[in-house]
Structure formats: structure tokens, C-alpha cells
Amino acid sequence: MRILLFIYLIFLPYVNGMEKISIVHNGEERTFLLYVPSVIKDSYNLVIGLHGFTGSASGFEKETTGGFNLYAEENGLIVAYPQGKYFYQPYEAIQADGSAKQIDAYLSSWNHLGPLTKNNKDIEICADTAQPAIQFPSCKDQDRCHWTSCVDDSDFIKTVAMKLTNQFSINKKYVMGLSNGGMMAQLIGCDYPDIFDGVINIVGMHPHKLSCTPDSPIDLLIYGSLFDMSVPPISINSSGGYFYEPLKDTALSWSNQFNCKNITKSKKTQPFDVSETHYFNCDNNVSITAIINNKAAHSWPGITPNEGYCRDNIQSEISYNNCKDIKKIAGSRYLLDRYFKKNL
């Protein structure tokens, strides 16, 4: 197995970089970026990283997470970054001289809303005063509050994970994401607790009264920021008129489902000012961690909220801003060392 794995790694286009891989899913071409660390191991942990709304796979790695491949290399992780469905929405932008210019705005998303609302049409997920969402091309006659695509992203992400499981010797599999990506990550954990070992949901609260819980136990880290008005972790009402489940309610639901027997609460000031609630001694020895960053907004810890709305050259087919190299992985270390540092 070690020799075969070494041969496979030789023929990857970028051993220490990323490869773009295309697959056909439900009759459509879908892509993901793959990072394989330089270290040769008998088995690897796999992380699936999901970008946020209007984000990109490469933008999530480069900017949103501050360069997650650096953390993956540090800890010997294989990482896949799937690309959500996207399209370009035309609109008129007013120039400095007062003239109007036609602009095509890039929009991308993950469809966590469809599965959550399918059998819950009576539950309102946004206020009457909320601006109607732009409809994705894959959607037909959607509710005015439905702001994501309508494709089967849950199965697509599972397909990526299983493809890599068949190619590599994989130990544990985690799915993580920010905002819409975090919402999707939580849904994946609920849909496939037999495939994934854990979820890292960053500023991605599910709709109020629709936050899902898996049937069988897996790890959960759910993180929110006190000054996040877009997807608030405490208040139900967001600045955009959408309703979100409070972070503590989701964590408690998972804790109750998995019969967690103990709970600790703590406050830390380094590397970030956070309040943590940790549920442990749960079924299958999983743990539930709920974190509030007391000084941040809608972003990955240690990264500013305006990062990640870009694409790198590996996704040159996307018309979008070019990404910067940020290289700040303190937030990734803080979040993920609890799962991966001991596995080096």
C-alpha cells in the first residue's frame, strides 16, 4: 500500500500544490480542488472544506482560512475543496461619473436549504421585510426566502469523500465550512454520520427551528462570533431579515442526542477572546464544542470578514477577483488541533 501510494503521489500534477479534479455528478460536471501533503504516511485524515456564499474553492483555501494548505501540510492532512454551483447575475453599477455600467456578479452557494425546508414548508425562515432572494438557475418556483441553489450538493460532497477514500488509505473524515459552507457541513454530518467522523461549522447557523441533528454520534465544533449580524450565534433575527437557530440550542440538541454526560464552560483570551462550552463523555466517545468569539464578526477566527471573495489561478474559468496569499493559520490551529494535532 505504501509503494502504491507513493507511485500515485508522483503522478499528481502538484505534489505540494493543488490539483483540480472534474467529475460528472447527476449529469453535470462538478469540480473540486485536491491537496495532498508531502509526507508519506500509511493512512491520512481527510478534510472536506466548503466555501461560503459567493465564495470559491480556491478562495476558501487562500483567503477565508488564511491558507489552509499550510495547516494541512503541518498536520499531514489530505484536503478536498469542492466548488459550489455558480452563475453570473447581471446588474447595473453606477460609476463615479454618474453613468451606469452593466456588471455580471458572481454568485455561488451550497444547497443546505432544500433538504431542511422540504418537509417544513410552514416554518418561516425569513421576515416579510427581507429582500427576496435571487433565484439560482437550478431552482424553479422557489420560496422568496430560498437563497441557495437547488442541486443535490449533499450527495456531491459525499461522492467526493468516497472517491478519495477509494484512492487513498483514509483514517478519519471531517467536513468543515464557513457561513453557507458551515451550514452545508452540518447538513452533511446529519445526512452521513456513518461516513464522516465530525463537523466543523464556522459562523453557519441553520435556519431557526430547522437545525439538524444526526441519528448517530459524530463530533461537532460549532463556532459563532458575537458581532456577526449576518448569521448571529445568539439572536434569532439577522440583519438581512433571516431567522437562525441560536448556537447553544444546536450544541445542546446534539449533546442530548448523543447522551453526553459532562459539560465544562471556560473563557480564554489567547489566541482569541472566546467562550467555550464543551460536552463530553458522549456515545462513541464523541464530543460537542460550542464556541463564541467575543470580539469578531462573520469570519474564520483571525481573518477579517471581507476575505475569500476571490479565486486563484487554478480556477481561472471563474470571472472573479484574484486571491491574495494571507498565510495566517492561527485560527485553523485553534479550531482543528483538538482533532488532528495528536494524530501527527
Short mmCIF file of all heavy atoms in Angstrom, two decimals, residues 255-319:
data_model
loop_
_atom_site.label_atom_id
_atom_site.label_comp_id
_atom_site.label_asym_id
_atom_site.label_seq_id
_atom_site.Cartn_x
_atom_site.Cartn_y
_atom_site.Cartn_z
N SER A 255 -25.83 17.29 21.96
CA SER A 255 -25.42 16.71 23.23
C SER A 255 -26.48 15.77 23.79
O SER A 255 -26.18 14.66 24.25
CB SER A 255 -25.12 17.83 24.24
OG SER A 255 -24.90 17.30 25.53
N ASN A 256 -27.72 16.20 23.74
CA ASN A 256 -28.81 15.35 24.23
C ASN A 256 -28.97 14.10 23.37
O ASN A 256 -29.22 13.00 23.89
CB ASN A 256 -30.12 16.14 24.25
CG ASN A 256 -30.14 17.22 25.33
OD1 ASN A 256 -29.39 17.14 26.31
ND2 ASN A 256 -30.98 18.22 25.15
N GLN A 257 -28.84 14.26 22.06
CA GLN A 257 -28.98 13.13 21.15
C GLN A 257 -27.92 12.06 21.41
O GLN A 257 -28.20 10.86 21.29
CB GLN A 257 -28.88 13.63 19.70
CG GLN A 257 -28.96 12.55 18.63
CD GLN A 257 -30.37 12.08 18.35
OE1 GLN A 257 -31.32 12.45 19.05
NE2 GLN A 257 -30.53 11.27 17.32
N PHE A 258 -26.72 12.50 21.80
CA PHE A 258 -25.61 11.57 21.97
C PHE A 258 -25.34 11.25 23.44
O PHE A 258 -24.29 10.69 23.77
CB PHE A 258 -24.35 12.13 21.32
CG PHE A 258 -24.52 12.49 19.87
CD1 PHE A 258 -23.76 13.50 19.28
CD2 PHE A 258 -25.44 11.83 19.06
CE1 PHE A 258 -23.92 13.83 17.95
CE2 PHE A 258 -25.61 12.16 17.73
CZ PHE A 258 -24.85 13.17 17.17
N ASN A 259 -26.27 11.64 24.32
CA ASN A 259 -26.19 11.28 25.74
C ASN A 259 -24.89 11.73 26.40
O ASN A 259 -24.25 10.97 27.15
CB ASN A 259 -26.37 9.76 25.92
CG ASN A 259 -27.69 9.27 25.37
OD1 ASN A 259 -28.75 9.76 25.74
ND2 ASN A 259 -27.63 8.30 24.47
N CYS A 260 -24.48 12.96 26.12
CA CYS A 260 -23.26 13.49 26.74
C CYS A 260 -23.50 13.68 28.24
O CYS A 260 -24.50 14.26 28.65
CB CYS A 260 -22.88 14.82 26.10
SG CYS A 260 -22.52 14.69 24.32
N LYS A 261 -22.59 13.18 29.04
CA LYS A 261 -22.79 13.14 30.49
C LYS A 261 -22.13 14.30 31.23
O LYS A 261 -22.48 14.59 32.37
CB LYS A 261 -22.27 11.82 31.04
CG LYS A 261 -23.01 10.59 30.49
CD LYS A 261 -22.40 9.30 30.99
CE LYS A 261 -23.18 8.10 30.46
NZ LYS A 261 -23.14 8.02 28.97
N ASN A 262 -21.16 14.95 30.61
CA ASN A 262 -20.44 16.01 31.30
C ASN A 262 -20.36 17.27 30.44
O ASN A 262 -20.40 17.21 29.22
CB ASN A 262 -19.01 15.56 31.64
CG ASN A 262 -18.99 14.36 32.57
OD1 ASN A 262 -18.90 13.23 32.11
ND2 ASN A 262 -19.09 14.61 33.87
N ILE A 263 -20.24 18.40 31.12
CA ILE A 263 -20.13 19.69 30.43
C ILE A 263 -19.16 20.58 31.19
O ILE A 263 -19.15 20.59 32.43
CB ILE A 263 -21.52 20.37 30.32
CG1 ILE A 263 -21.41 21.74 29.66
CG2 ILE A 263 -22.20 20.49 31.67
CD1 ILE A 263 -22.74 22.42 29.40
N THR A 264 -18.31 21.28 30.46
CA THR A 264 -17.45 22.30 31.06
C THR A 264 -17.62 23.60 30.29
O THR A 264 -17.87 23.59 29.09
CB THR A 264 -15.96 21.89 31.03
OG1 THR A 264 -15.55 21.69 29.67
CG2 THR A 264 -15.72 20.61 31.82
N LYS A 265 -17.47 24.71 31.00
CA LYS A 265 -17.53 26.02 30.38
C LYS A 265 -16.27 26.79 30.76
O LYS A 265 -15.82 26.73 31.91
CB LYS A 265 -18.76 26.80 30.82
CG LYS A 265 -20.07 26.15 30.37
CD LYS A 265 -21.27 27.02 30.72
CE LYS A 265 -22.58 26.39 30.21
NZ LYS A 265 -23.75 27.24 30.48
N SER A 266 -15.69 27.50 29.79
CA SER A 266 -14.46 28.24 30.06
C SER A 266 -14.39 29.48 29.19
O SER A 266 -15.06 29.58 28.16
CB SER A 266 -13.24 27.35 29.81
OG SER A 266 -13.20 26.94 28.45
N LYS A 267 -13.55 30.41 29.62
CA LYS A 267 -13.25 31.61 28.84
C LYS A 267 -11.75 31.69 28.62
O LYS A 267 -10.96 31.39 29.52
CB LYS A 267 -13.76 32.86 29.55
CG LYS A 267 -15.28 32.95 29.61
CD LYS A 267 -15.74 34.30 30.13
CE LYS A 267 -17.26 34.40 30.10
NZ LYS A 267 -17.75 35.74 30.55
N LYS A 268 -11.36 32.10 27.41
CA LYS A 268 -9.96 32.22 27.06
C LYS A 268 -9.73 33.58 26.39
O LYS A 268 -10.63 34.13 25.76
CB LYS A 268 -9.53 31.10 26.11
CG LYS A 268 -9.68 29.70 26.71
CD LYS A 268 -9.27 28.62 25.71
CE LYS A 268 -9.42 27.23 26.30
NZ LYS A 268 -9.06 26.17 25.32
N THR A 269 -8.52 34.07 26.51
CA THR A 269 -8.16 35.32 25.84
C THR A 269 -7.09 35.10 24.78
O THR A 269 -6.83 36.00 23.98
CB THR A 269 -7.64 36.35 26.86
OG1 THR A 269 -6.52 35.80 27.57
CG2 THR A 269 -8.74 36.71 27.85
N GLN A 270 -6.48 33.92 24.73
CA GLN A 270 -5.44 33.60 23.76
C GLN A 270 -5.70 32.24 23.13
O GLN A 270 -6.10 31.31 23.85
CB GLN A 270 -4.06 33.61 24.42
CG GLN A 270 -3.60 34.96 24.93
CD GLN A 270 -3.42 35.99 23.82
OE1 GLN A 270 -3.07 35.63 22.68
NE2 GLN A 270 -3.65 37.26 24.13
N PRO A 271 -5.52 32.09 21.83
CA PRO A 271 -5.14 33.12 20.86
C PRO A 271 -6.28 34.07 20.49
O PRO A 271 -6.06 35.05 19.80
CB PRO A 271 -4.71 32.31 19.65
CG PRO A 271 -5.55 31.08 19.71
CD PRO A 271 -5.69 30.77 21.17
N PHE A 272 -7.51 33.74 20.97
CA PHE A 272 -8.67 34.58 20.69
C PHE A 272 -9.49 34.73 21.96
O PHE A 272 -9.45 33.88 22.86
CB PHE A 272 -9.53 33.97 19.57
CG PHE A 272 -8.75 33.67 18.31
CD1 PHE A 272 -8.37 32.37 18.01
CD2 PHE A 272 -8.38 34.68 17.45
CE1 PHE A 272 -7.64 32.07 16.88
CE2 PHE A 272 -7.64 34.41 16.31
CZ PHE A 272 -7.27 33.10 16.02
N ASP A 273 -10.25 35.80 22.03
CA ASP A 273 -11.14 36.04 23.18
C ASP A 273 -12.43 35.25 22.95
O ASP A 273 -13.31 35.68 22.20
CB ASP A 273 -11.44 37.54 23.30
CG ASP A 273 -12.20 37.88 24.57
OD1 ASP A 273 -12.98 37.03 25.05
OD2 ASP A 273 -12.04 39.00 25.08
N VAL A 274 -12.53 34.09 23.57
CA VAL A 274 -13.65 33.19 23.29
C VAL A 274 -14.27 32.64 24.57
O VAL A 274 -13.63 32.59 25.63
CB VAL A 274 -13.19 31.98 22.43
CG1 VAL A 274 -12.73 32.43 21.06
CG2 VAL A 274 -12.11 31.17 23.13
N SER A 275 -15.52 32.26 24.45
CA SER A 275 -16.23 31.50 25.50
C SER A 275 -16.53 30.12 24.92
O SER A 275 -17.14 30.02 23.85
CB SER A 275 -17.53 32.21 25.89
OG SER A 275 -17.27 33.51 26.38
N GLU A 276 -16.10 29.07 25.61
CA GLU A 276 -16.25 27.71 25.11
C GLU A 276 -17.15 26.88 26.03
O GLU A 276 -17.07 26.99 27.25
CB GLU A 276 -14.89 27.01 25.02
CG GLU A 276 -13.91 27.64 24.05
CD GLU A 276 -12.62 26.83 23.94
OE1 GLU A 276 -12.46 25.85 24.70
OE2 GLU A 276 -11.78 27.17 23.10
N THR A 277 -18.00 26.08 25.41
CA THR A 277 -18.79 25.08 26.13
C THR A 277 -18.47 23.73 25.52
O THR A 277 -18.56 23.57 24.29
CB THR A 277 -20.30 25.36 26.02
OG1 THR A 277 -20.57 26.67 26.52
CG2 THR A 277 -21.09 24.34 26.84
N HIS A 278 -18.06 22.80 26.37
CA HIS A 278 -17.59 21.50 25.89
C HIS A 278 -18.42 20.39 26.52
O HIS A 278 -18.48 20.26 27.74
CB HIS A 278 -16.11 21.34 26.25
CG HIS A 278 -15.48 20.10 25.72
ND1 HIS A 278 -15.41 19.82 24.37
CD2 HIS A 278 -14.89 19.05 26.36
CE1 HIS A 278 -14.80 18.66 24.21
NE2 HIS A 278 -14.48 18.17 25.39
N TYR A 279 -19.09 19.60 25.68
CA TYR A 279 -19.86 18.44 26.12
C TYR A 279 -19.04 17.18 25.81
O TYR A 279 -18.58 17.00 24.68
CB TYR A 279 -21.20 18.36 25.38
CG TYR A 279 -22.09 19.57 25.54
CD1 TYR A 279 -21.98 20.67 24.66
CD2 TYR A 279 -23.05 19.63 26.53
CE1 TYR A 279 -22.79 21.78 24.79
CE2 TYR A 279 -23.89 20.74 26.67
CZ TYR A 279 -23.75 21.81 25.79
OH TYR A 279 -24.56 22.90 25.93
N PHE A 280 -18.89 16.31 26.81
CA PHE A 280 -18.06 15.12 26.59
C PHE A 280 -18.63 13.93 27.37
O PHE A 280 -19.69 14.03 27.98
CB PHE A 280 -16.60 15.40 26.96
CG PHE A 280 -16.38 15.86 28.37
CD1 PHE A 280 -15.87 15.01 29.33
CD2 PHE A 280 -16.65 17.18 28.73
CE1 PHE A 280 -15.66 15.44 30.64
CE2 PHE A 280 -16.44 17.62 30.03
CZ PHE A 280 -15.94 16.76 30.99
N ASN A 281 -17.88 12.80 27.32
CA ASN A 281 -18.40 11.52 27.80
C ASN A 281 -19.73 11.21 27.12
O ASN A 281 -20.73 10.90 27.76
CB ASN A 281 -18.55 11.51 29.33
CG ASN A 281 -17.21 11.37 30.04
OD1 ASN A 281 -16.25 10.89 29.45
ND2 ASN A 281 -17.15 11.80 31.28
N CYS A 282 -19.70 11.29 25.79
CA CYS A 282 -20.88 11.07 24.97
C CYS A 282 -20.81 9.67 24.33
O CYS A 282 -19.78 8.99 24.41
CB CYS A 282 -20.97 12.12 23.86
SG CYS A 282 -20.70 13.83 24.39
N ASP A 283 -21.88 9.26 23.69
CA ASP A 283 -21.89 7.98 22.97
C ASP A 283 -20.74 7.94 21.98
O ASP A 283 -20.43 8.95 21.31
CB ASP A 283 -23.21 7.81 22.22
CG ASP A 283 -24.40 7.65 23.16
OD1 ASP A 283 -24.19 7.42 24.36
OD2 ASP A 283 -25.55 7.76 22.67
N ASN A 284 -20.11 6.79 21.84
CA ASN A 284 -18.99 6.58 20.91
C ASN A 284 -17.82 7.52 21.17
O ASN A 284 -16.98 7.75 20.29
CB ASN A 284 -19.44 6.72 19.45
CG ASN A 284 -20.24 5.53 18.98
OD1 ASN A 284 -20.64 4.67 19.77
ND2 ASN A 284 -20.52 5.45 17.70
N ASN A 285 -17.79 8.11 22.36
CA ASN A 285 -16.69 8.99 22.77
C ASN A 285 -16.56 10.23 21.89
O ASN A 285 -15.47 10.80 21.76
CB ASN A 285 -15.35 8.23 22.78
CG ASN A 285 -14.33 8.89 23.69
OD1 ASN A 285 -14.68 9.48 24.71
ND2 ASN A 285 -13.07 8.81 23.31
N VAL A 286 -17.66 10.68 21.28
CA VAL A 286 -17.62 11.93 20.52
C VAL A 286 -17.68 13.09 21.49
O VAL A 286 -17.96 12.94 22.69
CB VAL A 286 -18.76 12.02 19.48
CG1 VAL A 286 -18.73 10.82 18.55
CG2 VAL A 286 -20.12 12.16 20.16
N SER A 287 -17.45 14.29 20.99
CA SER A 287 -17.55 15.50 21.81
C SER A 287 -18.25 16.59 21.01
O SER A 287 -18.20 16.61 19.79
CB SER A 287 -16.18 15.98 22.27
OG SER A 287 -15.39 16.38 21.17
N ILE A 288 -18.90 17.49 21.74
CA ILE A 288 -19.59 18.64 21.15
C ILE A 288 -18.96 19.89 21.73
O ILE A 288 -18.92 20.05 22.96
CB ILE A 288 -21.10 18.61 21.45
CG1 ILE A 288 -21.72 17.24 21.16
CG2 ILE A 288 -21.81 19.73 20.70
CD1 ILE A 288 -21.55 16.76 19.75
N THR A 289 -18.48 20.78 20.88
CA THR A 289 -17.84 22.02 21.34
C THR A 289 -18.55 23.21 20.71
O THR A 289 -18.68 23.29 19.49
CB THR A 289 -16.35 22.04 20.96
OG1 THR A 289 -15.70 20.89 21.51
CG2 THR A 289 -15.69 23.30 21.50
N ALA A 290 -19.01 24.12 21.56
CA ALA A 290 -19.67 25.34 21.11
C ALA A 290 -18.80 26.53 21.51
O ALA A 290 -18.41 26.66 22.67
CB ALA A 290 -21.05 25.47 21.73
N ILE A 291 -18.48 27.39 20.55
CA ILE A 291 -17.55 28.50 20.78
C ILE A 291 -18.17 29.81 20.32
O ILE A 291 -18.71 29.90 19.22
CB ILE A 291 -16.23 28.28 20.03
CG1 ILE A 291 -15.56 26.96 20.46
CG2 ILE A 291 -15.27 29.45 20.24
CD1 ILE A 291 -14.36 26.57 19.62
N ILE A 292 -18.07 30.82 21.17
CA ILE A 292 -18.43 32.20 20.80
C ILE A 292 -17.16 33.05 20.86
O ILE A 292 -16.51 33.13 21.90
CB ILE A 292 -19.49 32.80 21.74
CG1 ILE A 292 -20.79 32.01 21.69
CG2 ILE A 292 -19.73 34.27 21.38
CD1 ILE A 292 -21.59 32.20 20.43
N ASN A 293 -16.80 33.66 19.72
CA ASN A 293 -15.71 34.63 19.70
C ASN A 293 -16.29 35.98 20.11
O ASN A 293 -17.18 36.51 19.44
CB ASN A 293 -15.08 34.70 18.31
CG ASN A 293 -13.81 35.53 18.29
OD1 ASN A 293 -13.74 36.60 18.89
ND2 ASN A 293 -12.79 35.05 17.59
N ASN A 294 -15.80 36.52 21.22
CA ASN A 294 -16.40 37.71 21.82
C ASN A 294 -16.00 39.02 21.15
O ASN A 294 -16.51 40.08 21.51
CB ASN A 294 -16.05 37.77 23.31
CG ASN A 294 -16.59 36.58 24.06
OD1 ASN A 294 -17.78 36.25 23.97
ND2 ASN A 294 -15.74 35.90 24.81
N LYS A 295 -15.09 38.97 20.17
CA LYS A 295 -14.62 40.21 19.55
C LYS A 295 -14.63 40.18 18.03
O LYS A 295 -14.09 41.10 17.41
CB LYS A 295 -13.21 40.52 20.05
CG LYS A 295 -13.15 40.88 21.53
CD LYS A 295 -11.75 41.31 21.95
CE LYS A 295 -11.72 41.74 23.41
NZ LYS A 295 -10.35 42.15 23.83
N ALA A 296 -15.21 39.15 17.43
CA ALA A 296 -15.13 39.00 15.98
C ALA A 296 -16.50 39.15 15.33
O ALA A 296 -17.53 39.24 16.00
CB ALA A 296 -14.50 37.66 15.62
N ALA A 297 -16.49 39.12 13.99
CA ALA A 297 -17.72 39.21 13.20
C ALA A 297 -17.83 37.97 12.32
O ALA A 297 -17.44 36.88 12.72
CB ALA A 297 -17.74 40.50 12.38
N HIS A 298 -18.34 38.13 11.10
CA HIS A 298 -18.66 36.98 10.24
C HIS A 298 -17.40 36.52 9.49
O HIS A 298 -17.18 36.88 8.34
CB HIS A 298 -19.76 37.38 9.25
CG HIS A 298 -20.36 36.23 8.50
ND1 HIS A 298 -21.18 35.31 9.09
CD2 HIS A 298 -20.25 35.85 7.20
CE1 HIS A 298 -21.58 34.42 8.20
NE2 HIS A 298 -21.00 34.72 7.04
N SER A 299 -16.57 35.72 10.16
CA SER A 299 -15.31 35.30 9.55
C SER A 299 -14.70 34.12 10.29
O SER A 299 -15.12 33.78 11.40
CB SER A 299 -14.30 36.46 9.55
OG SER A 299 -13.98 36.83 10.88
N TRP A 300 -13.72 33.51 9.65
CA TRP A 300 -12.86 32.49 10.27
C TRP A 300 -12.06 33.18 11.37
O TRP A 300 -11.68 34.34 11.22
CB TRP A 300 -11.92 31.95 9.19
CG TRP A 300 -11.24 30.65 9.46
CD1 TRP A 300 -9.99 30.47 9.96
CD2 TRP A 300 -11.75 29.34 9.17
NE1 TRP A 300 -9.69 29.13 10.01
CE2 TRP A 300 -10.75 28.42 9.54
CE3 TRP A 300 -12.95 28.87 8.65
CZ2 TRP A 300 -10.91 27.03 9.40
CZ3 TRP A 300 -13.13 27.50 8.50
CH2 TRP A 300 -12.11 26.60 8.88
N PRO A 301 -11.79 32.51 12.49
CA PRO A 301 -11.03 33.18 13.55
C PRO A 301 -9.67 33.66 13.06
O PRO A 301 -8.92 32.93 12.41
CB PRO A 301 -10.88 32.09 14.64
CG PRO A 301 -11.24 30.80 13.98
CD PRO A 301 -12.18 31.13 12.87
N GLY A 302 -9.37 34.92 13.35
CA GLY A 302 -8.10 35.52 12.96
C GLY A 302 -8.08 36.11 11.57
O GLY A 302 -7.07 36.69 11.16
N ILE A 303 -9.19 35.99 10.83
CA ILE A 303 -9.29 36.51 9.46
C ILE A 303 -10.39 37.56 9.41
O ILE A 303 -11.42 37.42 10.08
CB ILE A 303 -9.59 35.38 8.45
CG1 ILE A 303 -8.58 34.24 8.60
CG2 ILE A 303 -9.61 35.91 7.03
CD1 ILE A 303 -7.15 34.60 8.29
N THR A 304 -10.21 38.63 8.62
CA THR A 304 -11.22 39.67 8.54
C THR A 304 -12.40 39.22 7.68
O THR A 304 -12.25 38.36 6.80
CB THR A 304 -10.64 40.97 7.95
OG1 THR A 304 -10.13 40.69 6.65
CG2 THR A 304 -9.52 41.50 8.83
N PRO A 305 -13.59 39.77 7.91
CA PRO A 305 -14.81 39.31 7.21
C PRO A 305 -14.81 39.52 5.70
O PRO A 305 -15.59 38.89 5.00
CB PRO A 305 -15.92 40.13 7.87
CG PRO A 305 -15.40 40.51 9.21
CD PRO A 305 -13.92 40.71 9.00
N ASN A 306 -13.96 40.40 5.17
CA ASN A 306 -14.01 40.70 3.73
C ASN A 306 -13.07 39.81 2.92
O ASN A 306 -12.85 40.06 1.72
CB ASN A 306 -13.66 42.17 3.48
CG ASN A 306 -12.28 42.53 4.00
OD1 ASN A 306 -11.75 41.87 4.89
ND2 ASN A 306 -11.70 43.60 3.46
N GLU A 307 -12.55 38.74 3.50
CA GLU A 307 -11.63 37.85 2.78
C GLU A 307 -12.38 36.66 2.17
O GLU A 307 -13.42 36.24 2.68
CB GLU A 307 -10.53 37.33 3.71
CG GLU A 307 -9.80 38.40 4.50
CD GLU A 307 -8.99 39.35 3.63
OE1 GLU A 307 -8.92 39.15 2.41
OE2 GLU A 307 -8.41 40.31 4.19
N GLY A 308 -11.83 36.12 1.09
CA GLY A 308 -12.36 34.89 0.49
C GLY A 308 -13.25 35.11 -0.71
O GLY A 308 -13.66 34.14 -1.36
N TYR A 309 -13.57 36.36 -1.04
CA TYR A 309 -14.42 36.64 -2.21
C TYR A 309 -13.52 36.81 -3.43
O TYR A 309 -13.32 37.92 -3.95
CB TYR A 309 -15.28 37.87 -1.94
CG TYR A 309 -16.13 37.69 -0.70
CD1 TYR A 309 -15.80 38.31 0.49
CD2 TYR A 309 -17.25 36.84 -0.73
CE1 TYR A 309 -16.57 38.11 1.64
CE2 TYR A 309 -18.02 36.65 0.40
CZ TYR A 309 -17.67 37.28 1.58
OH TYR A 309 -18.43 37.07 2.71
N CYS A 310 -12.98 35.69 -3.87
CA CYS A 310 -11.94 35.70 -4.90
C CYS A 310 -11.76 34.30 -5.45
O CYS A 310 -12.39 33.36 -4.99
CB CYS A 310 -10.61 36.19 -4.29
SG CYS A 310 -9.98 35.06 -3.00
N ARG A 311 -10.87 34.18 -6.43
CA ARG A 311 -10.46 32.86 -6.91
C ARG A 311 -8.98 32.92 -7.29
O ARG A 311 -8.46 33.97 -7.69
CB ARG A 311 -11.32 32.41 -8.09
CG ARG A 311 -11.28 33.36 -9.30
CD ARG A 311 -10.25 32.91 -10.31
NE ARG A 311 -10.22 33.73 -11.51
CZ ARG A 311 -9.11 34.23 -12.01
NH1 ARG A 311 -7.95 34.07 -11.39
NH2 ARG A 311 -9.13 34.93 -13.13
N ASP A 312 -8.31 31.79 -7.15
CA ASP A 312 -6.89 31.71 -7.51
C ASP A 312 -6.78 31.24 -8.96
O ASP A 312 -7.77 30.83 -9.58
CB ASP A 312 -6.18 30.75 -6.56
CG ASP A 312 -4.68 30.97 -6.56
OD1 ASP A 312 -4.24 32.10 -6.86
OD2 ASP A 312 -3.93 30.02 -6.25
N ASN A 313 -5.58 31.24 -9.50
CA ASN A 313 -5.37 30.91 -10.91
C ASN A 313 -5.82 29.50 -11.27
O ASN A 313 -6.16 29.25 -12.43
CB ASN A 313 -3.90 31.09 -11.27
CG ASN A 313 -3.48 32.55 -11.30
OD1 ASN A 313 -4.32 33.44 -11.47
ND2 ASN A 313 -2.20 32.82 -11.12
N ILE A 314 -5.82 28.59 -10.33
CA ILE A 314 -6.23 27.22 -10.61
C ILE A 314 -7.71 27.17 -11.01
O ILE A 314 -8.17 26.20 -11.63
CB ILE A 314 -5.95 26.30 -9.40
CG1 ILE A 314 -6.03 24.83 -9.83
CG2 ILE A 314 -6.90 26.60 -8.24
CD1 ILE A 314 -5.53 23.86 -8.77
N GLN A 315 -8.46 28.22 -10.69
CA GLN A 315 -9.86 28.33 -11.11
C GLN A 315 -10.04 29.53 -12.04
O GLN A 315 -10.98 30.31 -11.91
CB GLN A 315 -10.77 28.47 -9.88
CG GLN A 315 -10.85 27.21 -9.02
CD GLN A 315 -11.93 27.32 -7.97
OE1 GLN A 315 -11.83 28.13 -7.04
NE2 GLN A 315 -12.97 26.51 -8.10
N SER A 316 -9.18 29.64 -13.02
CA SER A 316 -9.20 30.79 -13.93
C SER A 316 -10.48 30.86 -14.76
O SER A 316 -10.78 31.91 -15.35
CB SER A 316 -7.99 30.74 -14.86
OG SER A 316 -7.97 29.54 -15.61
N GLU A 317 -11.24 29.77 -14.82
CA GLU A 317 -12.51 29.79 -15.56
C GLU A 317 -13.56 30.66 -14.87
O GLU A 317 -14.57 31.03 -15.47
CB GLU A 317 -13.05 28.37 -15.74
CG GLU A 317 -13.62 27.70 -14.50
CD GLU A 317 -12.58 27.09 -13.58
OE1 GLU A 317 -11.37 27.29 -13.81
OE2 GLU A 317 -12.97 26.42 -12.60
N ILE A 318 -13.34 30.98 -13.61
CA ILE A 318 -14.28 31.82 -12.86
C ILE A 318 -13.87 33.28 -13.01
O ILE A 318 -12.71 33.65 -12.78
CB ILE A 318 -14.30 31.43 -11.36
CG1 ILE A 318 -14.83 30.01 -11.19
CG2 ILE A 318 -15.13 32.41 -10.55
CD1 ILE A 318 -14.80 29.51 -9.75
N SER A 319 -14.80 34.13 -13.41
CA SER A 319 -14.55 35.57 -13.51
C SER A 319 -14.78 36.20 -12.14
O SER A 319 -15.93 36.40 -11.71
CB SER A 319 -15.49 36.21 -14.54
OG SER A 319 -15.25 35.69 -15.83
#
